[in-house]
């Protein structure tokens, strides 16, 4: 498969994945009925039952997307997890520091433009984060980490390394994988502040994680970076915002 054809396939696959994940439950009444049905069969409260359901749907659909992309490249799933060189530990620490600093800068610029904006509150109201915050506390680390793991395998693994295996240059592969990742994150928000925060953080993660992956030939360093970032900032939003916990009956996917 050519590089342009694979780029088009990756765009269509990611768009289909997110549409199938989000669109069936855009209707609040349908979400509520589904949550009550799940609660009746699991014994959980509706909010956490729906949160678990949403995570499973996201991962199952994403697995199909991953399989479709890997089938179009010479890569294998196990081949994405090569062992990085020992010196990559220092690079990973610098990447964590650089990613955090870049995101702090972006949020600082937002506060400078509008000092009244409530960034933690906006992040806590993003639908998939609101679902996570309905779960018991320890699951608020596990679920974002699992989602981050999967996203790294798909975007930095199948897309970025897949483009490289098909003959793409680094900058083109990095641009396509990062833009798809950021667009996928922004597609799941509902306000401009949410889009700005997730968009800038996704671009930073995509670039830094992509460079780590290209330098090592493995998604493992980017995976560690993304998992720690996702878990930390999800829980930071919960603790920093008084309205972080979703109200009873507020369900989201």
């Amino acid at each position: 498969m050519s590089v342009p054809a694979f780029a088009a396939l990756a765009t269509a696959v990611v768009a289909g994945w997110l549409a199938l994940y989000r669109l069936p439950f855009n209707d609040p009444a349908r979400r509520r009925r589904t949550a009550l049905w799940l609660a009746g069969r699991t014994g959980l409260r509706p909010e956490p039952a729906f949160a678990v359901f949403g995570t499973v749907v996201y991962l199952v659909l994403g697995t199909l997307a991953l399989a479709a992309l890997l089938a179009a490249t010479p890569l294998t799933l196990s081949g994405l997890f090569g062992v990085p060189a020992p010196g990559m530990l220092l690079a990973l620490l610098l990447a964590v520091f650089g990613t955090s600093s870049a995101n702090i800068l972006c949020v600082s610029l937002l506060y400078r433009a509008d000092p009244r904006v409530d960034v933690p509150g906006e992040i806590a109201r993003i639908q998939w984060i609101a679902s996570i915050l309905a779960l018991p506390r320890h699951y608020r680390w596990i679920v974002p980490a699992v989602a981050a793991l999967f996203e790294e395998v798909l975007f930095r693994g199948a897309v970025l390394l897949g483009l490289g295996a098909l003959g793409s240059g680094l900058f083109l592969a990095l641009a396509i994988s990062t833009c798809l990742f950021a667009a996928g994150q922004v597609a799941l928000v509902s306000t401009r502040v949410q889009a700005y925060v997730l968009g800038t953080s996704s671009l930073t993660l995509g670039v830094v994680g992509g460079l780590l992956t290209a330098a090592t030939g493995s998604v493992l360093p980017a995976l560690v970076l993304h998992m720690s970032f996702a878990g930390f900032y999800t829980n930071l939003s919960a603790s920093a915002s008084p309205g972080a916990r979703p109200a009873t009956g507020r369900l989201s996917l």
Side-chain angles (χ1 to χ4, degrees):
M1 178 176 284
S2 68
V3 169
F6 182 75
L9 173 65
T11 302
V13 165
V14 170
W17 168 31
L18 296 176
L20 289 172
Y21 166 68
R22 182 75 182 271
L23 293 179
F25 296 97
N26 270 347
D27 179 17
R30 186 181 298 124
R31 291 199 301 269
R32 182 65 181 170
R33 289 195 300 269
T34 303
L36 292 173
W37 184 86
L38 291 167
R41 279 150 183 80
T42 62
L44 299 173
R45 292 185 297 108
E47 293 88 351
F50 196 83
V52 172
F53 169 73
T55 301
V56 171
V57 169
Y58 185 77
L59 296 178
V60 169
L61 293 174
T63 299
L64 297 176
L66 176 62
L69 293 177
L70 286 178
T73 74
L75 299 175
T76 63
L77 182 60
S78 60
L80 304 180
F81 294 91
V83 180
M88 284 308 298
L89 178 59
L90 177 59
L92 178 58
L93 292 175
L94 291 174
V96 171
F97 177 77
T99 302
S100 299
S101 298
N103 284 307
I104 290 170
L105 174 62
C106 291
V107 172
S108 298
L109 293 174
L110 178 60
Y111 275 122
R112 190 173 184 85
D114 183 3
R116 297 170 298 176
V117 69
D118 176 17
V119 171
E122 286 283 348
I123 297 304
R125 286 188 287 272
I126 294 173
Q127 288 190 349
W128 64 267
I129 291 181
S131 291
I132 291 172
L133 297 182
L135 295 170
R137 187 171 299 275
H138 56 286
Y139 287 109
R140 297 177 194 172
W141 289 94
I142 295 172
V143 172
V146 171
L149 183 156
F150 189 85
E151 289 166 355
E152 287 305 311
V153 172
L154 196 149
F155 290 105
R156 251 61 67 191
V159 177
L160 187 142
L161 293 180
L163 284 166
L166 292 171
S168 169
L170 172 60
F171 292 109
L172 179 61
L174 188 63
I176 292 173
S177 61
T178 299
C179 288
L180 283 178
F181 173 59
Q185 297 297 309
V186 172
L188 300 178
V189 305
S190 54
T191 70
R192 286 182 293 179
V193 172
Q194 294 170 358
Y196 173 83
V197 174
L198 257 69
T200 54
S201 63
S202 298
L203 289 173
T204 303
L205 272 173
V207 170
V208 176
L211 291 174
L212 284 172
T213 302
T216 63
S218 170
V219 299
L220 288 174
L223 191 155
V224 173
L225 172 67
H226 192 169
M227 288 173 69
S228 60
F229 184 90
F232 175 75
Y233 280 98
T234 299
N235 285 273
L236 180 65
S237 296
S239 61
S241 175
R245 290 180 178 273
T248 301
R250 178 181 177 179
L251 300 167
S252 51
L253 177 64

